[in-house]
Every structure is written in structure tokens, then in C-alpha cells.
Amino acid sequence: MFFPLSDVDLHDGVHARTRDQLLHLARVFPADRALAVFRANAGLDTRGALPPGTWEDFGHPDERPWSAADYPGAGLAPTASLLRGHYAGHFLSMLSLAYASTGDDVFRDKAHEMVAGLAEVQAALAATGRYSHPGFLAAYGEWQFSRLEELAPYGEIWAPYYTCHKIMAGLLDAHLLTGSALACDVVTAMGHWVANRILAVEPAQRQRMWSLYIAGEFGGMNDSLTTLHLITGEPRFLAAAAAFEMDELLDAAAAGHDVLDGMHANQHLPMLAGHLGQYDATGDRRYLDAVTALFGQVVPGRTFAHGGTGEGELWGPAGHVARGIGRRNAETCATYNLLKIARGLFGQTHDARYADYIERASLNHIVGSRADVTSDVSPEVLYMFPVDAGAVREYDNVGTCCGGTGLESHLKHQESVWFSPEPGELWVLQYLPSRLRWEALGGTVTLRTAYPRNGLVAVDFDLSGPVDLRLRVPSWVPGRRVLLDGAPHDAIDGFLRVRREVRPGDTLTLKFPLPLRLVPTPDDPALVSLEHGPTVLLARADATTTLEVAPAAHRRLDGTILGVPAAGDVVSALGLEFEPAWSGGDRRYHMYLRVADPLIAFPGAPTGVPDRHDANDWSFLTGLWASGGFPSHEAFLGAAHRNAKRAAFAGLLSRHEVLTVLTAAAASTIDGAPPRRSTVVATGSVTITDEDVTWPLSESVGAGEPIPVVRIEVVGERAASGWYTTAPTVSAVTHGAVASVSLDGVTPGASLGDGRHALRATATDPSGRVVHAAREVAVDTAAPSVRAAVRHLGAHTVEVTLHADDDVSGVDRIQWRTTETFWGIYQEPFTRALHSTPQLLEFTATDRAGNTSPIQQVVLPAAP
């Protein structure tokens, strides 16, 4: 079992930063604001409180809490903010998690205040007699549910069961974590309302409902109803949980088919977490097998370096990571739910790969999704954690789905640190500084560590008795070998097993290497992330095109990369500065880099020799480092010799260049090795002086002329963004004997139009040998188009939405101002109070290439 939050104290460290910032918000944000939308819907006094805002707002001034019978119909019913109520559910969960994590009564009292408010609303709605069951509880009328049963699309309705789930989940957390009996009463009544409604719908119609994009999104309704069944013992709730299933998806998973391409990721992930609960409750293996298969289809083949998934909330084809990079990758809600699933699957299987994913995603995506600021009103989290070149983290997200899950994520970091499947067994899954109160052995166990800043971990025991300890060794550790109490040990199935009798004061020490390594994407080995131990690093650069790096001169013997601390948590490597993905920073960044070594080089030993590629994209450097690294300096020198000969026979190196490369390899200071001198012995060998090592070179090695060098030359004005903002011209330039040269799809000397161009040049020498060169060129010469839409919200207020479109580089920001404001950046709809005289509002947009549109104007009318 995993230990409850109340048994684990999270100590200072990387994760504690976001915990402390969310605890502050939980303390100061008023419960009345979260309850405002519910009270308004029920006709109760809102106590002057405004709702949190954006998606969690009051709705249209003329909207009413319609029942199924009195709903005016699509196009006639004025509606807005149709997801309202979901954020309040998350807020209640946040308070409950805060209490469980800290034991501070202020959070329990505020949670109970929320529960009392929801109970009052539920009673007020029941008293109207207008709804199908007295357990109905929402911040709008029941009409969204009835319209879903008639297959209304997203736009007319907005995922009513999704909101229902968030409210139920918050109430369940309040009951289970703060001991609120009233919360149990309220959520049980809601469960009866749900069961009565959903079980009356024909199964085939339910399947059609759940297939609707967003409208049919039901979150983890099966999860909440199963939990409610386990609390109350009522079979009807388990039957209702089974109504929230997608048979097509489950059947495909059972048959081993991948049908995720094009599906809405977070519409289905919460359902999978619920299926694990259903497996526990029913023993039906179909649930566990389906979730195991579906998780395996997402991780790692559809996940990015930081553990996120999806583009624009949708999954792409399996294995498309590099090709799946867009402008809106990695919805944070999806990772929140993937972590739930991984935790559940580990509990069932004890498979280290699930714990490895938890480390990657919780550290890099979830911690990194929270800005390093303190706020009284906002969770300051990300909706998307984008992975495209030159991305910027856009925090805040009050009232959104990811703003809601963000209220919870940072208050339960310690939930997956400690695990105990059997009495006397203790598994350490995550290396977060923390203390476990282990009731089974009547004492505490503490992790003392600065991980992931370094690889030192101390496990302190304040208890007596035999302990069977399992320590996870992450998959990124070379050979999964670590130092345990100073001696090397190898993990088995991802864990070190330590059995010992412990006494108070005993300490066990663990030391992990933290390699700085390039990790390729599965579908493009040249597109890589730079990772330091468990940390994904983000290159700081203002460009919005992919950065190229030449790692050959920075390689260590084991294939890892040389880097040095710059300042704080910043690392300097490959000529760039990198910050951790978990920084919570606001700089423009690059999660992925493109490896492009134009010249062969070794640490301390440049060669000036081109690293030519053959038709299959093989080169000396790709061959040299194909194995990832070398166990010894001798193995490195041997590989240099083999690959130099292969490159020579392929026409990629001349004999003189072979000698230059081998001499440089011998002279390299790789891993601090002293440079060796090399001597050419006659024409048949090269001897490394002082090592008595001879490399034989037959006369045929590099005897002919090498394949020519070809490169693509681009002439034009390149902006700091990396984009060409005026049309550039391109040509193929060669060195060496060439019979023909071409530039695929482009006339040499011609101007490139707007777009991202993957250029490829081909050169053929007189003997028919072919060499290729590739280059990415991004061109955007036009500013975004921008327009304003103004909608009246009553007599004295308008809602302004600024729209900008740029189909080439994409919109970077929209700015607006009035005579009384500075230029502001705001891309969500915003409200303006009308004045006694008309107001002039100016606006403009800038794309990611750096083009800015002319300033436009819209006049807001005077108040009547």
C-alpha cells in the first residue's frame, strides 16, 4: 500500500517550493468566492463574493437554472461559463489535501465551510421541486445533462459530468481526509441522483454520449462512484460506475489494438484511473488489462521528455514524438491523470517503469508547471507545458481545468515516495526529502537528500526491527549501478534489495551518478533533450526555431556531455545555458535540440575534417557514438580506428583525413586523459607513442578522393527569433570534385516563401558517389491578422475578445491599451466597464518570428 499523506512529512527541497506556494493560496482564498456560482444558481445570497473568474464565472446575466422541461433550446438560451462549479470541486480537494498534508486546522475548517455551503445549495435546489432527484447539485440547471442525453454538441453544453465528477471528488476528499460526515451525506445524495439518471439511459445511447467530443467528457465519474460504493456498500453506485465506460476503447485495448490517434487525451485518461478502482472493487481483470495496455500506448511512445502528452489536447500516432511537436503540447491535466494511473499500476504490479514515469512527470512537468511566485488569487500554473522551439510558460489559469488540477497536484507530492506491500517491507520509489511515520514498526524513516540537485541520499532509521528495504534505481542510471554505503551494487528489476536489522540512529547511504546526457526522440535520433539525472533541462534562448548543437567536442568517454554549473540551478553546456524544467521560470526556452556536428572533433582535439554523411545518413561521428559510450580509453581508441577505416572505404574520408582524425583521437583529453602523441609508421600504420599501440592502415584506406562536401547556404535577414522575416535565397555550395548538384524542390538562387522548409541538397562526384546535406529554414514575412469582438454583458459592461491568427510561425502575444492603461498582454476574453463617454481601445499582435501588426482600434460605446 501507499502511505496516507498524513503519515508523510515533505521536507525542504525542489517539490516543497510549489507545496508552500499552494498552501498560501489555500489559506487566503475565500471559500465564499468558490461557493459564489453555486449560491447564485440556487438563488442564495452570494455574500458579495465574486467567483474566481474565467471558466468559473457567474455565466450570462439572463441565464436561468433551467430544468430539462423549461430549457428554452439551443440558440434561444443565453448561456456562458458552462463548466462552472468544477473549480470549486478542485478547491475543496485542495483544502482537504492541505489538511491531510499539514494537520493545520485552518484547512479543515475552511473545507467544512465549503461543505456546509454546498449542502445548503443542495437543499435549496431540492426545495424547488424542479429537478429529477433531491441530490442534484450544480452551479447551473439540470438541462445540460438532459441535453447530453439528446447528444447535444460541445458549444451548446460543456461536459456536465466532468463538472459533476469534480464536485463529487472534492466532497469525497473532504470526507476521507478531513472526516466530514456532512460531505459524505451530500455526495451520497449526489450519487443517487447520478445513478437514477444514468442507469435510465439505454446502454447504446450512453456509448454515443461518451463518444461526443468534450460534451461527453465525464472525467472520473467511475472513480468517484466506485469510491462511494466502497464507503457506503451500496451496489447501485458500482452499477452506475460501470455506466461510465467506453466499450470500444476497452475492447480495442483487450485485443491489443491502438486506437488512440486523434482521441482527446484528457477526456479518457481519468476514466482509466477509475477503471483501476473498479478492478479493486470487482476483481474483473478486463479493467486492469485494458489500463495496462492503454498506458503502454501512451508512455513512452506518445510522451515528451518532461512526461507530458498530446498536441492541442489530442493524441497523435504512436511513436510520433518529434513529429508530434506543435504549439500546444502537453496539457497539464493529462499528466495529472497519467500520474494517477502510473501510481495505481505500480500498486498492482510493482513494476519499476511506472515509478520511473512518476519521477519524470512529477518532477519535470508538474513541479515545472507552477510559477515560482506567490499569489493570493491564482494557482499560477500552466494549462500547456509546451515543448516547441522558443516556447514560453504561460502561468495563471484561474478557473481552467488545469488551474483546477493544479490546486491539487502540489499538495500531494509525497504520496508516491513510500510503499509497503507487506508488513516489514518498505519500498522507496521517489527520492523526495521526507519523513515517514511507520506505524507497523513504531517509528520513523527519513530521507535526507538534495536530490535532484545532487545524487546523495541518506536513509535514517528511528525504529527497531528487521526491515526489508527496496530502493528504486532509476532507468537513466548507467547500468542501474549505484553506491550503497560506499560499495557498488546493481539493481535487479529496477530495485536494490537491502535486508537488515535496524536500530534508532542507523543510516544507509545511497549515491547516484547524475549523468548529463543527450536523449533522442524515438522517431528522430538527431532531435534530443538534454537531461541531468532525472532533470530535463531547458535551453535559454530567444530563438523560436530549433537550436542546433555540436556535441562531439563535449563528449565524455561514456557518451555523456561535459557541463559546468553556471549560477544556482543553471547549467552551462554545449555553448548554451540551461535551467531545470522544474524551475518555475518565465524565460523563453528549448526542450529539444538538433544534433548537427559539421566537423569531427574530440574533447581538446579539433580536426577541421568534415563529418560527411552517406546516403543512409551514416558518418564517422554517428558510428563512433552509436553504442552510447565506452568502458575504457582503449575501447574509445579502437572504435575511432574502426570507424575511420569504415568512413574511408565509404569515401567519407581521404587518407590524409583519416590520419588527422586518428591523430586527434590520440591527442584528445577525453575524461581527463593525458594527450598521446601519434606517429605515422611508413604507409601501413599509425603508432601511438608511449602506449605501444599500432593502428594498421592498408594502402587502400582512403586511397581515393573523398566524397565532396555539400552545404546549403541561405542569404537573407534572420531575426533574433531564428526566423527569416524577409524572403531569403538559397543555394547549394560544394567543395571537392562534383559532377552534379541539386537542391530538392527548390531552384538555386530562388527566394523561399513563408513556412518551415526542410531543405535537402544532393551532390554526386565523378565516380557516382552521392552525398547529402540537410537544413531547416523558417520564413515568416507577414504580421498576424488581428481583430476584436465586443459582446455586451448587460447595460454597463462589455466583454472584449481579441483574436489573432498567424498560420506560419504562430501568434506570440496580443497587446492592448486604452488612454488610461499601459500596453498589456492578455489573450483571454476580458471585461471593461462602459464609461459615460466612448472609450478607444488599441490593439496589436506579434508572431513568434517577430513580426508585429499595425495598431488597430475599436471604440467601446458609452454607457446608456
Side-chain angles (χ1 to χ4, degrees), residues 66 149 368 387 496 565 568 585 733 789:
W66 298 296
E149 291 163 10
V387 303
L496 287 183
V733 179

Side-chain angles (χ1 to χ4, degrees), residues 524 546 548 594 718 724 756-759 774-778:
D524 186 351
T546 304
E548 292 188 348
R594 182 160 295 283
R718 194 179 188 192
Y724 288 87
R756 294 179 183 267
H757 303 273
L759 303 179
R775 182 170 179 178
E776 296 178 357
V777 180

Side-chain angles (χ1 to χ4, degrees), residues 458-667:
V459 185
D460 297 334
F461 296 93
D462 189 10
L463 49 80
S464 297
V467 175
D468 187 352
L469 190 65
R470 312 288 179 92
L471 302 165
R472 183 180 64 90
V473 178
S475 58
W476 49 261
V477 173
R480 277 191 155 159
R481 168 168 285 199
V482 297
L483 295 179
L484 178 65
D485 290 337
H489 284 73
D490 295 328
I492 299 175
D493 295 330
F495 289 91
L496 287 183
R497 186 171 188 178
V498 182
R499 293 173 173 171
R500 64 176 58 176
E501 189 88 17
V502 300
R503 295 178 298 176
D506 284 357
T507 295
L508 178 152
T509 61
L510 199 62
K511 184 176 181 180
F512 295 102
L514 294 182
L516 186 64
R517 64 205 190 280
L518 297 173
V519 180
T521 55
D523 52 332
D524 186 351
L527 192 70
V528 300
S529 56
L530 183 66
E531 303 184 13
H532 183 224
T535 298
V536 175
L537 295 174
L538 309 176
R540 291 174 168 177
D542 289 334
T544 56
T545 52
T546 304
L547 299 179
E548 292 188 348
V549 291
H554 305 269
R555 295 273 192 184
R556 297 176 61 88
L557 196 61
D558 61 3
T560 60
I561 302 299
L562 291 163
V564 296
D569 294 320
V570 176
V571 174
S572 179
L574 301 173
L576 299 167
E577 284 197 343
F578 295 82
E579 66 180 277
W582 42 260
S583 66
D586 58 4
R587 298 275 295 270
R588 195 179 292 277
Y589 65 87
H590 295 248
M591 188 174 293
Y592 288 105
L593 312 167
R594 182 160 295 283
V595 172
D597 276 296
L599 301 175
I600 295 171
F602 311 98
T607 69
V609 175
D611 188 42
R612 301 178 183 89
H613 290 246
D614 67 13
N616 297 314
D617 209 31
W618 186 90
S619 71
F620 170 81
L621 285 175
T622 59
L624 180 67
W625 294 108
S627 64
F630 306 98
S632 66
H633 190 255
E634 290 70 23
F636 161 71
L637 294 175
H641 179 227
R642 289 192 305 275
N643 283 282
K645 289 198 299 180
R646 175 179 170 181
F649 284 125
L652 302 179
L653 295 176
S654 68
R655 187 174 186 83
H656 172 73
E657 289 171 336
V658 169
L659 296 174
T660 300
V661 168
L662 293 179
T663 299

